[in-house]
Amino acid sequence: MKELIDIVAAYDIAAKQGKKTALAIVVQVEGSAYRRAGARMLITEDGQLTGAISGGCLEGDALRKARLVILQQEPMLVTYDTTDDDDAKLGVGLGCNGIIHILIEPINEEPNNPISFLKTVIASRKNAVLVTLFSVEDRKAPQPGTCLCLTESGLLLNGLENSAHHAQIIIDAKRVMENGKSETKLYDGAMPYTAFVEFIKPLFSLVIIGAGNDAVPLAKFASVLGWDTTVIDGRPNYALPERFPSAQKVIVAKPEQVLSHISINEHTAFVLMTHNYNYELALLKELLPLQLNYIGILGPKKKLARLLAEIEDGGQKVTEEQLKSVYGPVGLDIGSEGSEEIALSIVAEIKAVLSHRKGYSLKYKPASIHAPHLTTITN
């Protein structure tokens, strides 16, 4: 999501300066590649790049292709076969042993262009689906490009009405929204087309409870990742915007006031680091019944055990299901020393938990890093 936000910001700057642009998107990967389907890069006519479609090996060639797309105002599908040794001679050998299909489409002034779709997705702050339609079988055929945007607020189309598959594509987009998993689908016919039906999650939201000095690097790390960050503390001399310039909100609030200041969904994480036992006790009582996916608590296990025992002694039952979301001591075991390294371990754990990953070294992962998108064929 951060890449999308950066691309939209770069586009707005380019548009104000009168620069023409194109958007490159990885639409399909066969085998291994540095970036997977959904990676995007904005290219301006003067060569400025925002985002990435590879580890840096494809960007130069994509820039040349994008300038042609901007000139001709027609989308172009480009395929890089990194399993072919000849690619190394062309300067695009990635060592990834995969085939990468990249669609490059011009950004024009029409209302539902790809950038306007990205803006709609970002503004929704909820799950969304984008559909990019292309033809691998005939790269010289018309490449429809980004043609559908589905959010909880409604459906937007860009040229999809002219496709023979439009009704089925809308059905597939709604199914992906419901299933929460991207798909690559082939539509047979006189002119076969492939659709990358992309499920996009909203930004992670991090609520840091505590505005002490050790919260500062945590807010900075979250900002680098593009997370929507809120810092809350009961001390007005600590909860100051100038101490947390990267946070979207800095709020002074008592424990019972915290929830009234924020919007919570399945992508929201809390980290309690006030060093104030009574504050965290009062807030934890309110957070546990919400069945959040992540509540991190700074401090030793004895502190967490005491908090939970005191909550139960007060008559509030703490269930096993509620305990699954509580992470204390907070953070992954990476040998952290000092507030910066502790912040690193915390954001790594939050990312792993909210992404439903284990957080161990990829060296020990038995399968490929990225699971392939489901591919289906319809007649």
Side-chain angles (χ1 to χ4, degrees):
M1 179 60 78
K2 183 180 185 299
E3 186 170 69
L4 303 188
I5 293 172
D6 291 343
I7 284 173
V8 166
Y11 171 79
D12 286 340
I13 292 173
K16 288 181 180 178
Q17 296 173 345
K19 296 179 182 177
K20 296 180 180 178
T21 58
L23 185 67
I25 173 175
V26 178
V27 289
Q28 190 172 5
V29 174
E30 303 167 40
S32 177
Y34 184 81
R35 298 296 306 272
R36 57 177 172 170
R40 289 174 171 83
M41 181 173 72
L42 184 77
I43 304 140
T44 64
E45 59 183 333
D46 60 350
Q48 295 182 26
L49 308 177
T50 304
I53 53 172
S54 75
C57 300
L58 300 183
E59 275 69 5
D61 189 69
L63 170 58
R64 291 188 288 272
K65 300 290 196 307
R67 282 174 168 158
L68 183 60
V69 166
I70 291 172
L71 178 64
Q72 297 179 342
Q73 287 295 294
E74 291 291 340
M76 175 190 300
L77 185 71
V78 184
T79 298
Y80 298 98
D81 186 352
T82 63
T83 65
D84 187 347
D85 290 338
D86 285 343
D87 267 354
K89 300 174 184 177
L90 298 174
V92 294
L94 298 179
C96 290
N97 199 34
I99 300 173
I100 306 154
H101 302 282
I102 297 172
L103 184 73
I104 307 174
E105 48 190 333
I107 308 301
N108 50 41
E109 298 296 328
E110 64 185 13
N112 288 346
N113 65 44
I115 295 296
S116 70
F117 280 176
L118 295 185
K119 290 182 177 180
T120 299
V121 169
I122 294 168
S124 74
R125 302 179 69 86
K126 295 183 179 179
N127 294 333
V129 173
L130 291 175
V131 175
T132 306
L133 198 60
F134 56 98
S135 175
V136 174
E137 290 75 10
D138 185 359
R139 284 186 289 173
K140 294 183 179 180
Q143 303 289 343
T146 308
C147 58
L148 180 149
C149 175
L150 176 64
T151 65
E152 291 187 8
S153 300
L155 181 69
L156 297 174
L157 303 177
N158 180 18
L160 185 61
E161 312 87 62
N162 302 323
S163 170
H165 310 292
H166 73 277
Q168 185 60 48
I169 290 173
I170 292 173
I171 292 172
D172 293 336
K174 291 179 178 179
R175 184 185 65 254
V176 165
M177 175 72 91
E178 182 178 347
N179 295 342
K181 184 178 180 180
S182 299
E183 294 182 1
T184 301
K185 186 163 183 180
L186 176 63
Y187 300 93
D188 282 341
M191 174 60 70
Y193 274 99
T194 302
F196 173 44
V197 190
E198 179 185 11
F199 180 75
I200 301 178
K201 299 177 182 178
L203 276 176
F204 284 169
S205 296
L206 174 61
V207 183
I208 303 173
I209 305 298
N213 291 339
D214 54 354
V216 173
L218 180 56
K220 288 181 179 178
F221 270 112
S223 174
V224 170
L225 296 172
W227 295 359
D228 184 63
T229 306
T230 301
V231 178
I232 301 177
D233 200 304
R235 301 168 292 180
N237 57 324
Y238 278 78
L240 299 170
E242 53 266 34
R243 281 173 50 79
F244 298 92
S246 61
Q248 279 66 46
K249 295 180 183 178
V250 181
I251 298 168
V252 178
K254 296 178 180 179
E256 61 272 17
Q257 299 170 331
V258 167
L259 295 181
S260 66
H261 287 283
I262 54 180
S263 176
I264 297 174
N265 60 33
E266 67 271 26
H267 305 293
T268 303
F270 279 79
V271 176
L272 279 57
M273 51 192 309
T274 65
H275 303 280
N276 183 325
Y277 180 86
N278 290 329
Y279 191 108
E280 294 182 8
L281 174 64
L283 182 57
L284 189 57
K285 289 179 180 178
E286 296 196 30
L287 295 180
L288 285 173
L290 300 179
Q291 291 297 138
L292 299 166
N293 286 323
Y294 186 95
I295 304 171
I297 301 177
L298 186 69
K301 286 186 177 180
K302 288 183 178 180
K303 171 190 171 183
L304 175 57
R306 180 185 170 192
L307 283 168
L308 296 173
E310 194 163 339
I311 289 173
E312 290 209 312
D313 289 344
Q316 180 177 332
K317 182 174 177 57
V318 179
T319 68
E320 288 297 320
E321 194 65 28
Q322 290 173 352
L323 287 176
K324 290 180 182 178
S325 68
V326 179
Y327 293 80
V330 67
L332 295 181
D333 182 9
I334 58 173
S336 299
E337 295 287 345
S339 58
E340 288 81 6
E341 293 181 357
I342 292 172
L344 174 62
S345 75
I346 293 173
V347 297
E349 182 177 60
I350 292 172
K351 172 60 180 172
V353 170
L354 296 188
S355 298
H356 308 290
R357 297 299 178 93
K358 298 297 184 181
Y360 54 72
S361 295
L362 290 173
K363 173 182 179 180
Y364 303 110
K365 188 175 177 68
S368 61
I369 297 175
H370 300 304
H373 294 298
L374 174 65
T375 302
T376 56
I377 299 177
T378 182
N379 293 317

